[in-house]
Amino acid sequence: METLLLNKEDVSENVRMPELIPAVEDAFAAYETGDAQMPAKSYIDLPQYNGDFRSMPAYLDTGDWDAAGIKWVNVHPDNPTHYDLPTVMGTMVYSDPENAYPLAIMDGTELTLQRTGAAAGVATDYLAVEDASSFGVVGAGVQSYAQLEAVADVRDIEEVVVSDVNEDAVRAFVEHFQDRFDVREGSISDAGHCDVLSTVTPVEDPIVSPDDLGDHTHVNAMGADAEGKHELADDVLLGAKLVIDDHAQTTHSGEINVPYNAGVLSDDDIYGDVGEIVTGQTDGRTPDDGVTVFDSTGLAIQDVAAAHVVYEHAQEHGNGYEFDLLGV
């Protein structure tokens, strides 16, 4: 037996949205039905290096396939200026649940990028209006690309509005997608009045108010991944049909973490989690719904589901480098 080594390009080539979104949906369902194990994310704080490590293990059984793995990821803000390295880097170890053999070691950064987009795709499929044709994004970083790819996979998107203070980033986004969509730069309100809005910024002071949204906009709140981060005004969250991915993570470091821990927002204001919706226990969008919000923090089960997709397709396409890691 050999272990498959997959770099960023290998992961990117094999983690296509049409396969990834259903796999992430299956992961949400497995987690909801108790067919997944996902211990809490653990942290190793390294203040002497202004950084930390995080470990994210999970196992899931969808009925058709099962998978296990662990993502080892860091956050070192000084990396770009001091070492010419990314702030965040991830490594995924994907193992055979039956005998524990490490089937693959793969780039976890590209994996995270794409599975985060796929989670928004799942939520959009269940919570956006059926005839959604416009998409807005606030924040033109790398995640904005995955958001559009995912949303366009579940809805027939024609018009795209991108908003960011970085003009170069906006220009790059427009140039990348201009052959596929009617894409233009706009204000936060322009983006928010689209049928679907994704917010992918690291802000701690909310930048999206109720007036910035259409009457039936679905919002994927993707930017908050740490305590104190907060993109949507409290009134948006309180007035929306609010869906989360995981209670422990969202109340600790998701979009709702600030108002929840301040007592402004409570469990009564949370409609449910996405797993309840994909398993049919609760409704997605109904005719009476106005604004809907999905608070996504990113779960280890998503990483494992994405790794499964990557590994299966890499095997088919002959990607990666096989080597004898354990000598067994």
Side-chain angles (χ1 to χ4, degrees):
M1 297 181 69
E2 294 188 308
T3 300
L4 190 61
L5 185 64
L6 299 163
N7 64 17
K8 177 180 178 180
E9 289 72 26
D10 295 324
V11 171
S12 180
E13 182 176 345
N14 291 289
V15 64
R16 299 304 185 197
M17 282 297 169
E19 291 83 25
L20 183 56
I21 290 173
V24 170
E25 181 176 346
D26 287 344
F28 285 138
Y31 188 44
E32 180 63 33
T33 57
D35 295 312
Q37 298 180 49
M38 188 176 67
K41 184 188 304 183
S42 63
Y43 292 79
I44 296 176
D45 292 316
L46 302 169
Q48 69 272 35
Y49 300 118
N50 188 28
D52 65 65
F53 286 110
R54 305 157 189 207
S55 63
M56 300 174 64
Y59 165 79
L60 61 100
D61 183 354
T62 70
D64 293 325
W65 52 269
D66 67 343
I70 182 168
K71 185 172 74 176
W72 178 245
V73 62
N74 76 292
V75 178
H76 282 61
D78 296 335
N79 270 2
T81 56
H82 291 182
Y83 304 103
D84 195 27
L85 289 171
T87 297
V88 178
M89 296 176 286
T91 301
M92 185 76 190
V93 178
Y94 180 68
S95 300
D96 186 328
E98 184 175 2
N99 58 30
Y101 192 84
L103 298 173
I105 298 172
M106 65 184 73
D107 169 55
T109 306
E110 181 70 15
L111 194 80
T112 302
L113 176 73
Q114 299 300 336
R115 64 80 155 147
T116 302
V122 174
T124 299
D125 200 22
Y126 282 91
L127 294 169
V129 293
E130 284 294 328
D131 61 350
S133 62
S134 59
F135 171 74
V137 61
V138 179
V142 292
Q143 180 55 223
S144 64
Y145 294 72
Q147 291 292 304
L148 176 49
E149 294 287 0
V151 171
D153 190 71
V154 299
R155 291 293 186 274
D156 187 14
I157 298 299
E158 300 174 358
E159 178 188 0
V160 177
V161 181
V162 56
S163 180
D164 197 303
V165 295
N166 185 327
E167 289 295 327
D168 290 338
V170 169
R171 189 177 305 110
F173 183 93
V174 171
E175 290 177 355
H176 184 83
F177 287 111
Q178 62 186 358
D179 292 338
R180 296 172 54 194
F181 305 98
D182 177 11
V183 55
R184 64 179 176 87
E185 179 181 6
S187 66
I188 290 175
S189 184
D190 292 334
H193 278 82
C194 292
D195 297 319
V196 181
L197 171 69
S198 287
T199 57
V200 288
T201 73
V203 299
E204 296 188 358
D205 293 317
I207 55 175
V208 179
S209 71
D211 291 341
D212 292 323
L213 299 174
D215 292 338
H216 302 283
T217 300
H218 168 64
V219 183
N220 296 306
M222 314 300 290
D225 60 357
E227 292 179 81
K229 291 187 177 183
H230 192 18
E231 297 182 290
L232 310 181
D234 293 348
D235 287 345
V236 170
L237 297 171
L238 291 169
K241 184 175 191 174
L242 178 59
V243 176
I244 62 177
D245 61 3
D246 178 72
H247 188 275
Q249 284 196 191
T250 53
T251 56
H252 176 266
S253 54
E255 177 58 35
I256 67 173
N257 84 91
V258 174
Y260 187 89
N261 290 293
V264 174
L265 183 148
S266 71
D267 288 344
D268 292 337
D269 300 306
I270 301 172
Y271 174 74
D273 62 57
V274 67
E276 293 172 330
I277 293 176
V278 302
T279 56
Q281 297 179 54
T282 56
D283 293 329
R285 174 168 286 276
T286 67
D288 295 331
D289 287 335
V291 172
T292 55
V293 172
F294 174 52
D295 181 359
S296 173
T297 56
L299 307 178
I301 53 170
Q302 296 167 223
D303 295 310
V304 171
H308 169 76
V309 172
V310 170
Y311 180 74
E312 294 299 317
H313 285 291
Q315 290 282 86
E316 294 173 7
H317 299 154
N319 296 126
Y321 169 72
E322 292 184 332
F323 68 110
D324 187 5
L325 176 66
L326 301 183
V328 296

